[in-house]
Amino acid sequence: MGLEHHDLAHEFPEYKERIHDLKVSDAHFRKLFDEYDQVTTRVEALEKQESPVADESMEELKKERLALKDELYKMLKG
């Protein structure tokens, strides 16, 4: 089964330019963006592992990623 990549530009291609602009001009957005990227990297690395990962651990990481994504989306729309 192929894994889907969840980087922000992939999630919101219509906001690609705005993502770049906010990363350059807004320190809070950049901080949240970096956190989102780190959590996404951890989730994707765990998904690729052959060894099992506790469902609770994966679920918490995915919830954290979703909360960050929601906050970033609000900023992109604003």
Side-chain angles (χ1 to χ4, degrees), residues 14-76:
E14 68 276 18
Y15 289 111
K16 189 174 183 177
E17 188 172 315
R18 180 136 169 87
I19 290 168
H20 173 73
D21 292 345
L22 286 172
K23 279 176 38 182
V24 171
S25 66
D26 187 319
H28 181 63
F29 181 89
R30 186 173 45 253
K31 178 182 178 291
L32 293 176
F33 178 90
D34 289 343
E35 287 177 29
Y36 176 85
D37 192 49
Q38 289 171 4
V39 172
T40 295
T41 299
R42 287 189 357 229
V43 168
E44 291 175 354
L46 289 172
E47 288 175 339
K48 290 177 187 176
Q49 282 184 352
E50 303 258 337
S51 58
V53 177
D55 287 340
E56 301 83 28
S57 299
M58 183 65 85
E59 193 65 30
E60 285 304 312
L61 283 173
K62 287 184 175 183
K63 284 180 183 178
E64 182 180 351
R65 179 172 65 184
L66 183 58
L68 288 165
K69 182 176 162 184
D70 287 346
E71 186 65 27
L72 288 162
Y73 182 67
K74 287 178 192 173
M75 294 175 79
L76 289 169

